[in-house]
Amino acid sequence: MSIVFPRIALTPGEPAGIGIDITLALAQQDISAHIVAFADPNLLAERARLLGLSINFDVHDCHIPTPQIAGTLKVKPISLVEPSHCGVLNPRNALYVLTTLRQACQGCIDKQFDALVTAPVHKGVINEAGIPFSGHTEFFAHQTGTKEVVMMLTTSTLAVALVTTHLPLALVSQAITHEKLTSVIQILYHDLQVKFGLKDPHILVCGLNPHAGEGGYLGDEEITTIIPVLQTLRATGMRLIGPVPADTAFTADMLQDIDVVLTMYHDQGLPVLKQQGFGEAVNITLGLPIIRTSVDHGTALSLAGTGKATADSLLSAVNMALKMINAQF
């Protein structure tokens, strides 16, 4: 059974970036979902005028669930602290950005929405405002009281999950502990079943070292940590292949019958995925009690207000959220 009109909370992100542009581009399409943008309506209207777009804004705190109709956008109004200008970061608006995230996330926690879709924020300007902020993922984990989350990016043909995310390479090895790897795989396996409807997920696990350690000659993390964890989890019925050398993990033969590739660190898997589908890929946060998807790109300040930004990744994020919502019903 599927929801007639899935409800999606959308945060346009950094007001000086292209998140506003791509939100407005999304509003130009018919979508079988109830989509509400958490944003300043004046900001949206001003950017629409700049881009030459004719959009009717439905500004309310509450909306009756109806599908997205081209040329309209439902808005949950949240006011900027100061006026925003394309491409010009303003630390005083950092609190506005975090308020949109907080209210949209709370709406999902309170079951007012079925999923949260996010456009890019600018971490640097939020920290410049004196607010410690390492990213959407950590922010939503804190707000939902979630101890461990997993980042996964997908294209139409490939899914890559990460054991560690934004860590210096020198710290990756010590971060991959038995507990960490076990938790990541359990979250990944559970959410593939619950949020994607895969009864028996098939996960390909990369090694950390070149040639997956070459039997210990090129590093022993496979022997001391990765292999023991995989053996323990296989005994519970999980379908886990590996550890395999990362340099051959993404070949066609290796990816046959694989649902997701689990890589040990950020740049081990994401360059392959982004080379294949940058601008159309979707970032998904697993482990949260809510569904959260996002674009695969940054704020692109130089493109804001130029009409050159593409909404392909945002549309993909919305479509992925709809797929995940329907998989649970």
Side-chain angles (χ1 to χ4, degrees):
M1 183 182 78
S2 62
I3 299 175
V4 177
F5 297 125
R7 302 160 300 169
I8 293 177
L10 170 64
T11 56
E14 167 55 46
I18 64 169
I20 306 300
D21 303 48
I22 61 178
T23 296
L24 295 171
L26 191 76
Q28 297 294 99
Q29 303 188 43
D30 290 327
I31 301 175
S32 296
H34 174 76
I35 300 175
V36 178
F38 285 62
D40 189 317
N42 293 324
L43 169 67
L44 293 167
E46 181 180 343
R47 190 70 59 88
R49 285 193 295 270
L50 180 62
L51 294 170
L53 299 176
S54 178
I55 298 176
N56 294 318
F57 297 102
D58 180 8
V59 182
H60 295 288
D61 284 340
C62 299
H63 299 81
I64 298 172
T66 56
Q68 170 69 44
I69 299 174
T72 66
L73 181 64
K74 302 178 187 69
V75 182
K76 168 64 171 71
I78 299 172
S79 297
L80 284 165
V81 176
E82 291 186 352
S84 179
H85 304 284
C86 292
V88 182
L89 295 172
N90 184 347
R92 286 185 57 80
N93 281 325
L95 185 59
Y96 158 80
V97 173
L98 296 184
T99 300
T100 66
L101 302 185
R102 186 175 297 108
Q103 290 193 17
C105 182
Q106 191 62 46
C108 292
I109 294 171
D110 295 340
K111 306 299 182 183
Q112 297 171 9
F113 294 92
D114 303 302
L116 172 57
V117 176
T118 61
V121 297
H122 195 286
K123 299 172 189 165
V125 74
I126 296 174
N127 282 279
E128 186 180 342
I131 305 171
F133 182 82
S134 55
H136 278 115
T137 303
E138 295 80 5
F139 182 88
F140 294 139
H142 176 75
Q143 186 163 347
T144 59
T146 304
K147 181 179 179 181
E148 182 86 69
V149 293
V150 176
M151 179 186 292
M152 183 173 80
L153 278 83
T154 69
T155 67
S156 59
T157 58
L158 179 65
V160 174
L162 309 177
V163 177
T164 62
T165 52
H166 301 118
L167 278 182
L169 195 56
L171 301 180
V172 169
S173 177
Q174 66 192 63
I176 301 174
T177 63
H178 284 76
E179 295 75 18
K180 172 73 171 180
L181 184 56
T182 298
S183 177
V184 166
I185 294 176
Q186 288 174 333
I187 291 170
L188 178 59
Y189 196 87
H190 173 270
D191 277 18
L192 287 173
Q193 289 183 314
V194 174
K195 294 182 178 179
F196 289 86
L198 299 176
K199 294 182 179 180
D200 188 22
H202 200 175
I203 301 170
L204 181 69
V205 182
C206 291
L208 172 64
N209 297 294
H211 301 178
E214 195 84 34
Y217 291 101
L218 296 177
D220 66 357
E221 287 88 353
E222 286 77 14
I223 294 172
T224 61
T225 303
I226 300 174
I227 292 174
V229 168
L230 297 186
Q231 289 175 336
T232 298
L233 294 177
R234 285 191 193 106
T236 69
M238 293 187 185
R239 297 179 68 193
L240 305 171
I241 304 300
V244 302
D247 63 350
T248 57
F250 296 95
T251 60
D253 287 344
M254 290 296 293
L255 290 176
Q256 286 188 16
D257 195 35
I258 295 296
D259 294 305
V260 60
V261 179
L262 179 63
T263 60
M264 294 294 122
Y265 57 93
H266 188 277
D267 284 7
Q268 189 179 54
L270 295 194
V272 180
L273 181 134
K274 291 193 176 185
Q275 190 280 331
Q276 181 190 90
F278 185 70
E280 298 179 358
V282 180
N283 186 345
I284 304 165
T285 306
L286 305 179
L288 295 173
I290 64 173
I291 292 172
R292 182 259 170 162
T293 67
S294 183
V295 297
D296 70 341
H297 57 76
T299 54
L301 296 171
S302 63
L303 295 181
T306 67
K308 297 179 180 179
T310 173
D312 290 348
S313 184
L314 183 61
L315 180 59
S316 295
V318 168
N319 288 334
M320 178 59 72
L322 296 177
K323 177 181 177 181
M324 294 171 70
I325 292 168
N326 287 326
Q328 297 186 81
F329 291 91

